[in-house]
Protein backbone atom coordinates (compact mmCIF):
# COMPACT_ATOMS: atom_id res chain seq x y z
CA UNK A 1 0.00 0.00 0.00
CA UNK A 2 1.37 3.38 -0.99
CA UNK A 3 -0.03 6.88 -0.86
CA UNK A 4 1.57 9.82 -2.64
CA UNK A 5 0.41 13.31 -1.73
CA UNK A 6 1.18 16.28 -3.93
CA UNK A 7 -0.09 19.73 -4.88
CA UNK A 8 1.14 21.79 -1.97
CA UNK A 9 2.72 25.17 -2.39
CA UNK A 10 2.67 28.78 -1.31
CA UNK A 11 -0.44 30.89 -1.73
CA UNK A 12 -1.73 34.20 -0.48
CA UNK A 13 -4.62 34.39 1.96
CA UNK A 14 -7.87 33.86 0.12
CA UNK A 15 -6.21 31.66 -2.48
CA UNK A 16 -6.92 28.08 -3.45
CA UNK A 17 -5.01 24.85 -3.83
CA UNK A 18 -5.95 21.34 -4.83
CA UNK A 19 -4.06 18.50 -3.24
CA UNK A 20 -3.92 15.05 -4.77
CA UNK A 21 -3.35 11.68 -3.12
CA UNK A 22 -2.52 8.91 -5.56
CA UNK A 23 -2.92 5.49 -4.00
CA UNK A 24 -1.60 2.11 -5.05
CA UNK A 25 -2.38 -1.28 -3.63
CA UNK A 26 -5.71 0.20 -2.58
CA UNK A 27 -9.16 -0.14 -4.08
CA UNK A 28 -11.04 3.05 -3.29
CA UNK A 29 -14.31 1.13 -3.47
CA UNK A 30 -13.23 -0.66 -0.30
CA UNK A 31 -10.85 1.75 1.48
CA UNK A 32 -11.50 5.08 3.19
CA UNK A 33 -8.98 7.85 2.62
CA UNK A 34 -8.51 10.81 4.92
CA UNK A 35 -6.63 14.07 4.84
CA UNK A 36 -4.82 15.24 7.95
CA UNK A 37 -2.52 18.15 8.61
CA UNK A 38 0.21 19.09 11.02
CA UNK A 39 1.08 22.70 11.64
CA UNK A 40 4.48 23.69 13.08
CA UNK A 41 4.62 22.89 16.76
CA UNK A 42 1.20 21.26 16.77
CA UNK A 43 -0.16 17.74 16.71
CA UNK A 44 -1.54 16.16 13.59
CA UNK A 45 -5.25 16.83 13.19
CA UNK A 46 -7.90 15.37 10.96
CA UNK A 47 -9.31 17.48 8.14
CA UNK A 48 -11.77 15.36 6.19
CA UNK A 49 -12.26 11.76 5.10
CA UNK A 50 -14.03 10.06 2.22
CA UNK A 51 -15.42 6.60 2.84
CA UNK A 52 -15.38 3.59 0.55
CA UNK A 53 -18.94 4.50 -0.48
CA UNK A 54 -18.02 8.10 -1.25
CA UNK A 55 -19.58 9.73 1.79
CA UNK A 56 -17.58 12.39 3.57
CA UNK A 57 -16.77 13.08 7.19
CA UNK A 58 -15.33 16.39 8.31
CA UNK A 59 -13.26 16.03 11.46
CA UNK A 60 -13.78 19.72 12.12
CA UNK A 61 -16.96 21.41 10.92
CA UNK A 62 -15.17 24.77 10.68
CA UNK A 63 -13.63 23.62 7.40
CA UNK A 64 -16.94 22.79 5.76
CA UNK A 65 -17.59 25.19 2.95
CA UNK A 66 -13.90 25.84 2.36
CA UNK A 67 -12.45 22.33 1.97
CA UNK A 68 -13.94 19.66 -0.27
CA UNK A 69 -12.80 16.07 -0.62
CA UNK A 70 -13.49 14.06 -3.73
CA UNK A 71 -12.16 11.02 -5.50
CA UNK A 72 -11.64 9.53 -8.93
CA UNK A 73 -11.77 5.78 -8.46
CA UNK A 74 -10.54 5.09 -11.99
CA UNK A 75 -7.44 7.19 -11.34
CA UNK A 76 -6.91 5.86 -7.79
CA UNK A 77 -6.77 9.45 -6.65
CA UNK A 78 -8.36 11.41 -3.82
CA UNK A 79 -8.41 15.20 -3.97
CA UNK A 80 -8.63 17.94 -1.39
CA UNK A 81 -9.85 21.23 -2.82
CA UNK A 82 -9.02 24.07 -0.46
CA UNK A 83 -10.53 27.50 -1.01
CA UNK A 84 -10.40 30.76 0.93
CA UNK A 85 -7.15 29.69 2.51
CA UNK A 86 -6.04 31.36 5.72
CA UNK A 87 -2.61 31.68 7.32
CA UNK A 88 -3.74 29.21 9.99
CA UNK A 89 -4.17 26.59 7.27
CA UNK A 90 -0.39 26.50 6.89
CA UNK A 91 0.70 22.93 7.57
CA UNK A 92 2.04 19.75 6.11
CA UNK A 93 -0.94 17.88 4.68
CA UNK A 94 -0.98 14.09 4.73
CA UNK A 95 -3.28 11.54 3.22
CA UNK A 96 -3.77 8.25 4.95
CA UNK A 97 -5.99 5.24 5.21
CA UNK A 98 -7.25 3.20 8.16
CA UNK A 99 -6.92 0.04 6.10
CA UNK A 100 -9.36 -2.25 4.37
CA UNK A 101 -11.31 -2.92 7.56
CA UNK A 102 -11.31 0.70 8.64
CA UNK A 103 -13.74 3.56 8.30
CA UNK A 104 -13.51 7.32 8.52
CA UNK A 105 -14.27 6.96 12.23
CA UNK A 106 -11.45 4.53 12.90
CA UNK A 107 -9.16 5.73 15.69
CA UNK A 108 -6.02 4.56 13.94
CA UNK A 109 -4.72 4.95 10.42
CA UNK A 110 -2.46 2.19 9.14
CA UNK A 111 -0.84 3.85 6.13
CA UNK A 112 0.33 7.37 5.39
CA UNK A 113 1.71 9.32 2.49
CA UNK A 114 4.78 11.48 2.83
CA UNK A 115 3.00 14.83 3.18
CA UNK A 116 2.90 17.99 1.11
CA UNK A 117 3.56 21.47 2.51
CA UNK A 118 0.96 24.20 2.21
CA UNK A 119 2.03 27.71 3.14
CA UNK A 120 -0.50 30.54 3.29
CA UNK A 121 1.16 33.90 3.63
CA UNK A 122 1.02 37.39 2.24
Amino acid sequence: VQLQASGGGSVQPGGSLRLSCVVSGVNLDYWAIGWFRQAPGKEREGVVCISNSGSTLYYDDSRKGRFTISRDVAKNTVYLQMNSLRPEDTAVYYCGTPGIAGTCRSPEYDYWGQGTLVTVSS
Side-chain angles (χ1 to χ4, degrees), residues 49-114:
C49 176
I50 188 163
S51 74
N52 62 316
S53 65
S55 62
T56 61
L57 174 68
Y58 286 86
Y59 294 116
D60 187 330
D61 286 347
S62 68
R63 287 183 273 277
K64 282 184 178 178
R66 295 196 303 125
F67 290 9
T68 303
I69 192 170
S70 63
R71 66 180 188 174
D72 186 328
V73 176
K75 294 184 177 179
N76 286 338
T77 303
V78 175
Y79 303 99
L80 180 64
Q81 178 68 43
M82 303 186 295
N83 299 327
S84 302
L85 283 163
R86 306 166 181 169
E88 54 264 38
D89 295 317
T90 294
V92 177
Y93 284 72
Y94 300 88
C95 57
T97 178
I100 192 168
T103 71
C104 288
R105 298 187 183 276
S106 293
E108 297 289 338
Y109 271 51
D110 292 338
Y111 304 96
W112 294 95
Q114 84 290 359

